[in-house]
Amino acid sequence: LNRCSDRWMKKINKTASGWITTVLILTVAPVGAQVNTAAKNLLEEARRLESESSFAEADDSYEMVLDRYPESPQAQEAILALANSRIRADEPDEALARLEQLISTHPESPNAAAASVLQASITRRGARSPARPSCPPPRRIALESSPGR
């Protein structure tokens, strides 16, 4: 009796294991698609806010993308957008930190390539600014008029 019940238990376990795997696959796949759609919607909302010059609200939405969906492709785009926002706010150090975050976490991404270009541009601009001497304001030269003219 034990041998028989052991055989049946093994069959049940195999069947249950296969059934559980199938259920997990069917359950997880749609969730991944839902996450991707939600991240896209949140990113689109952030872009809309940015286009309406609601920069603080747009930044909040970009941060939400990063918090809620850190592994999504939209998170990479949100990091780039936040870096651009920091450039616009004249905060190059914060922009560079965001760009470094993207480059270090997703080095093979096309977004990382764009981040590298932007990083080089910020660095180049920052290196030139202090070294460039300030030019004095232009002077007006009064031309002397010759007597009799």
Side-chain angles (χ1 to χ4, degrees):
L1 184 66
N2 282 342
R3 232 177 39 202
C4 187
S5 62
D6 285 343
R7 220 174 47 205
W8 279 105
M9 285 305 291
K10 286 180 184 177
K11 250 186 184 182
I12 289 171
N13 284 339
K14 281 183 182 179
T15 305
S17 173
W19 180 79
I20 290 171
T21 303
T22 303
V23 168
L24 285 175
I25 289 170
L26 291 174
T27 306
V28 172
V31 170
Q34 290 171 358
V35 165
N36 199 25
T37 300
K40 282 181 183 177
N41 290 341
L42 194 52
L43 187 65
E44 287 173 12
E45 174 67 10
R47 288 180 180 146
R48 183 189 62 76
L49 289 165
E50 191 172 22
S51 73
E52 294 172 355
S53 299
S54 299
F55 299 117
E57 292 87 356
D59 286 356
D60 290 343
S61 292
Y62 288 129
E63 289 287 353
M64 263 193 262
V65 172
L66 292 176
D67 291 342
R68 293 181 184 173
Y69 314 105
E71 298 302 317
S72 70
Q74 290 77 22
Q76 296 174 34
E77 293 178 47
I79 293 171
L80 272 177
L82 286 166
N84 280 315
S85 176
R86 297 301 90 213
I87 292 167
R88 188 175 39 253
D90 198 27
E91 298 174 356
D93 292 338
E94 179 64 28
L96 288 169
R98 290 290 184 172
L99 295 169
E100 185 57 39
Q101 174 189 7
L102 178 55
I103 293 165
S104 64
T105 57
H106 304 284
E108 299 299 320
S109 163
N111 290 318
S116 292
V117 170
L118 191 53
Q119 189 179 42
S121 173
I122 294 169
T123 304
R124 195 170 39 250
R125 260 187 273 152
R128 269 195 306 212
S129 296
R132 184 183 295 165
S134 59
C135 299
R139 288 191 275 158
R140 291 182 177 231
I141 301 173
L143 298 174
E144 294 181 24
S145 58
S146 304
R149 283 193 184 181

